[in-house]
């Protein structure tokens, strides 16, 4: 449940730990776990055929009035855990065409204080600190195990994804570990949109040479690491973790796309950590999220909380912001998706044309400082839905001028608008396909791979952004005062 585009992938923006015990396998992974309960400070297994009713907090809500594309999660999804297990309040997990999501199971009235909807204990997470001396939790790796040496050979600050992938693969192989069962709910290689798993042909469909080159380098980096540490001479207990490079690269893609970077405090120890947090990683992204994360150090729990003053209706999706201040190319590198309304996307204009900043902001009722621009809907007509994240991005990326109280000259502004629109047309003409062609292509390929679909959507969103900027310039010159 996110900084400029030049930020390297090595710096995680967003990323979650455990020591219980489980059995059986994931979608092609490991073994299903047994469930544990702590009684009088002791741990005893609970048989699967228990007669006691499940704890009410984990009973999936009945699906009434749900969108047709969404289905309630498998009941087992709510049962995998231990005495200090995840607790959910007023939400339910549903699976749709694009994977899992978290939805409100009841109306929530706005409150002055943030409200907790999930509590996830440290014991269920996988974490590795990203500064020396490095530590990981849960402490599931025995002394002398070769996976420890593999992790220790990496750079804690730049190889965070490789380290976390190693720990994740080991957790899948560890008998009675929580992640053996939770892995059933992680996307398979075919369901992932990460471009670490994309072919060269799919990378070429991005129509972005720089992004394709970057992802090619990331693929080579992961493959080189696997070849170095999973050669034929390694012990079987290492070999079986990732018998082929595809398995390891899949684990790296899971680490990248589901990792949350947070500062943990455990007692007097404060450390930044890369964390794989179960359940919380089911929250999808939004540039206008209704939830956020909070680390409750007192009892070592991550809280997912609804924003103060946020009104939630039954069926609304609960979302978080994965990364702040990042362009679509960074979202593609890390998560494998893009958005046509990313308020941080950028167009590189090269001409000398400039428009008046304050006038442009007032035309679209955009308020705040440049790093905090937002649409002031109170000043707008309720039926005016033109302003979205792309218009906010236009306010940031368009070449502008401002000179104190000097007013703009309408004729000069219109001339600048035409020059900027002409440059936008040149950008669109440089693409091999148009936005209409991309839409038709997507509609004609219902069985396309997830990575190919994401690649076509990325280039489509880029074109839609440029077209939206052109439309915003049209509105600007129409509304500018004579």
């Amino acid at each position: 449940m996110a900084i400029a585009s030049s930020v390297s992938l090595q710096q995680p923006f967003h990323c979650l730990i455990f020591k219980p015990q489980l059995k059986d396998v994931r979608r092609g992974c490991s073994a299903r776990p047994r469930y544990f309960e702590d009684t009088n400070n002791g741990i005893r297994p609970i048989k699967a055929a228990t007669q006691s009713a499940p704890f009410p907090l984990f009973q999936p809500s009945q699906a009434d009035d749900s969108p047709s594309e969404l289905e309630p999660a498998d009941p087992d999804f709510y049962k995998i855990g231990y005495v200090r297990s995840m607790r959910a309040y007023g939400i339910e997990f549903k699976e749709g065409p694009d994977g899992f999501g978290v939805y409100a199971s009841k109306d929530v009235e706005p409150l002055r204080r943030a409200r907790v909807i999930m509590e996830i204990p440290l014991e269920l997470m996988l974490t590795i600190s990203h500064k020396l001396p490095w530590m990981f939790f849960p402490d599931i790796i025995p002394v002398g195990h070769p996976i420890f040496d593999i992790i220790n050979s990496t750079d804690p600050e730049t190889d965070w994804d490789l380290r976390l992938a190693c720990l994740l693969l080991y957790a899948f192989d560890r008998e009675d570990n929580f992640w053996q069962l939770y892995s059933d709910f992680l996307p398979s290689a075919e369901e992932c949109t990460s471009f670490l798993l994309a072919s060269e042909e799919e990378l070429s469909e991005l129509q972005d040479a720089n992004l394709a080159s970057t992802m090619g380098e990331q693929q080579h980096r992961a493959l080189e690491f696997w070849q170095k540490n999973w050669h034929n001479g390694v012990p079987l207990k290492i070999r079986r973790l990732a018998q082929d490079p595809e398995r390891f690269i899949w684990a790296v893609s899971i680490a990248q796309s589901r990792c949350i970077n947070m500062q943990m405090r455990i007692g007097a120890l404060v450390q930044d950590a890369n964390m794989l947090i179960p359940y919380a990683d089911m929250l999808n992204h939004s540039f206008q999220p209704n939830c956020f994360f909070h680390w409750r150090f007192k009892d070592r729990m991550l809280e997912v909380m609804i924003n103060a003053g946020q009104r939630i209706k039954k069926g609304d999706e609960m979302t978080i912001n994965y990364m702040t201040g990042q362009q679509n190319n960074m979202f593609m590198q890390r998560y494998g998706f893009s958005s046509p309304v990313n308020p941080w996307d950028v167009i590189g204009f090269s001409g000398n044309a400039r428009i008046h900043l304050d006038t442009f902001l007032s035309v679209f009722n955009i308020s705040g400082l440049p790093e905090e621009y937002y649409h002031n809907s109170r000043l707008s007509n309720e039926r005016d839905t033109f302003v979205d994240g792309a218009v906010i991005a236009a306010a940031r990326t368009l070449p502008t001028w401002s000179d104190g109280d000097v007013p703009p000259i309408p004729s000069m502004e219109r001339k600048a608008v035409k020059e900027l629109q002409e440059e936008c047309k040149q950008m669109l003409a440089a693409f091999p396909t148009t936005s209409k062609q991309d839409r038709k292509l997507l509609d004609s390929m219902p069985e396309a791979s997830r990575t190919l679909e994401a690649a076509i959507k990325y280039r489509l969103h880029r074109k839609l952004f440029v077209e939206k900027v052109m439309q915003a310039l049209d509105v600007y010159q129409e509304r500018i005062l004579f």
Side-chain angles (χ1 to χ4, degrees):
M1 294 279 243
I3 325 176
S5 62
S6 60
V7 175
S8 169
L9 180 62
Q10 320 297 348
Q11 297 293 332
F13 303 96
H14 224 128
C15 296
L16 316 191
I17 315 191
F18 178 49
K19 191 178 181 176
Q21 310 175 5
L22 312 163
K23 253 184 183 176
D24 217 274
V25 288
R26 72 160 309 259
R27 283 187 197 121
C29 263
S30 35
R32 280 194 174 274
R34 293 173 296 205
Y35 310 106
F36 289 76
E37 186 176 58
D38 190 353
T39 307
N40 299 325
N41 297 325
I43 296 180
R44 62 181 182 81
I46 299 178
K47 294 183 179 179
T50 177
Q51 298 298 320
S52 58
F55 187 38
L57 289 175
F58 303 105
Q59 290 182 358
S61 304
Q62 296 298 320
D64 55 335
D65 302 327
S66 298
S68 58
E69 291 185 329
L70 298 174
E71 299 180 359
D74 188 300
D76 286 344
F77 183 71
Y78 296 82
K79 299 176 183 177
I80 54 178
Y82 301 82
V83 166
R84 264 192 31 117
S85 55
M86 184 276 283
R87 295 189 175 191
Y89 308 94
I91 61 170
E92 55 187 346
F93 296 84
K94 292 185 178 181
E95 187 172 13
D98 296 324
F100 274 91
V102 183
Y103 297 84
S105 60
K106 63 180 181 180
D107 294 339
V108 177
E109 294 300 318
L111 298 176
R112 292 185 178 181
R113 300 177 63 182
R115 175 177 295 185
V116 177
I117 59 171
M118 268 194 257
E119 294 176 321
I120 303 141
L122 181 66
E123 288 83 354
L124 299 187
M125 308 175 194
L126 290 176
T127 74
I128 294 186
S129 61
H130 56 89
K131 286 189 178 180
L132 292 173
W134 73 274
M135 294 173 283
F136 57 87
F137 192 91
D139 188 10
I140 55 176
I141 301 179
V143 176
H145 195 286
I147 195 68
F148 184 93
D149 296 327
I150 293 176
I151 295 176
N152 200 40
S153 68
T154 61
D155 187 323
E157 297 190 40
T158 61
D159 296 331
W160 62 272
D161 50 345
L162 302 178
R163 296 153 60 81
L164 204 53
C166 291
L167 186 59
L168 179 63
L169 289 170
Y170 181 77
F172 289 154
D173 187 66
R174 176 70 181 251
E175 184 180 1
D176 296 332
N177 187 273
F178 166 83
W179 283 84
Q180 286 186 326
L181 184 55
Y182 191 74
S183 64
D184 285 338
F185 302 96
L186 296 177
S188 64
E190 293 73 25
E191 296 168 328
C192 279
T193 59
S194 171
F195 276 79
L196 285 174
L197 302 166
S199 64
E200 288 187 16
E201 293 76 13
E202 290 169 336
L203 290 177
S204 66
E205 293 293 337
L206 290 167
Q207 296 180 1
D208 184 333
N210 292 333
L211 179 57
S213 175
T214 299
M215 294 314 303
E217 292 172 1
Q218 290 294 326
Q219 290 176 341
H220 178 73
R221 167 176 168 263
L223 178 59
E224 194 176 57
F225 184 84
W226 179 85
Q227 292 174 336
K228 175 184 175 181
N229 296 287
W230 268 267
H231 52 81
N232 292 330
V234 299
L236 177 61
K237 56 185 175 182
I238 289 294
R239 188 72 179 172
R240 70 189 183 203
L241 300 183
Q243 296 187 9
D244 53 67
E246 289 76 17
R247 172 71 170 167
F248 180 75
I249 294 175
W250 171 83
V252 176
S253 73
I254 292 294
Q256 288 186 2
S257 62
R258 306 179 89 85
C259 176
I260 296 173
N261 176 255
M262 291 192 68
Q263 189 175 77
M264 293 192 309
R265 177 180 170 186
I266 303 177
L269 177 64
V270 178
Q271 63 181 37
D272 293 315
N274 307 122
M275 314 170 75
L276 287 174
I277 308 180
Y279 303 102
D281 62 2
M282 299 295 179
L283 289 160
N284 288 318
H285 167 78
S286 172
F287 291 108
Q288 295 180 317
N290 49 26
C291 296
F292 66 96
F293 291 145
H294 173 254
W295 180 257
R296 197 167 76 203
F297 73 90
K298 187 174 182 180
D299 46 5
R300 299 181 299 172
M301 276 197 177
L302 178 88
E303 296 177 323
V304 180
M305 309 185 79
I306 298 176
N307 296 332
Q310 185 85 45
R311 183 185 299 277
I312 304 292
K313 294 183 180 179
K314 181 179 179 180
D316 285 353
E317 184 170 12
M318 315 308 289
T319 57
I320 57 170
N321 191 343
Y322 287 179
M323 294 193 292
T324 299
Q326 294 299 314
Q327 300 176 39
N328 272 340
N329 59 352
M330 287 302 298
F331 277 94
M332 288 298 289
Q333 285 185 43
R334 182 74 183 273
Y335 302 104
F337 70 83
S338 58
S339 170
V341 293
N342 183 348
W344 298 99
D345 223 355
V346 171
I347 295 177
F349 289 95
S350 57
N352 297 320
R354 301 284 187 275
I355 60 173
H356 190 248
L357 175 60
D358 294 337
T359 305
F360 185 87
L361 296 179
S362 64
V363 163
F364 296 106
N365 297 317
I366 297 174
S367 305
L369 298 173
E371 297 301 312
E372 300 173 350
Y373 278 159
Y374 67 94
H375 179 225
N376 194 337
S377 57
R378 294 184 178 181
L379 302 177
S380 305
N381 190 319
E382 292 183 0
R383 292 174 293 180
D384 185 4
T385 58
F386 178 78
V387 179
D388 56 15
V391 178
I392 301 294
R396 291 193 175 102
T397 194
L398 282 169
T400 58
W401 67 274
S402 182
D403 190 7
D405 296 329
V406 177
I409 301 174
S411 60
M412 298 298 292
E413 292 298 300
R414 290 191 176 89
K415 179 181 177 182
V417 165
K418 290 181 180 179
E419 291 181 17
L420 292 171
Q421 287 181 324
E422 186 60 33
E423 192 168 351
C424 287
K425 291 178 182 178
Q426 294 174 6
M427 294 178 191
L428 292 174
F431 285 102
T433 58
T434 65
S435 58
K436 290 183 179 179
Q437 290 173 331
D438 289 341
R439 283 195 177 101
K440 288 182 180 179
L441 187 58
L442 285 171
D443 293 339
S444 66
M445 301 171 61
E447 302 300 323
S449 66
R450 297 299 302 276
T451 46
L452 177 58
E453 181 183 358
I456 298 173
K457 284 183 177 180
Y458 170 76
R459 74 194 197 200
L460 171 61
H461 293 163
R462 185 67 176 168
K463 296 162 193 172
L464 293 177
F465 175 45
V466 177
E467 291 172 359
K468 186 75 172 187
V469 171
M470 294 174 65
Q471 295 172 15
L473 288 170
D474 275 334
V475 174
Y476 171 68
Q477 69 174 348
E478 289 173 2
R479 295 183 183 178
I480 190 172
L481 297 176
F482 286 94

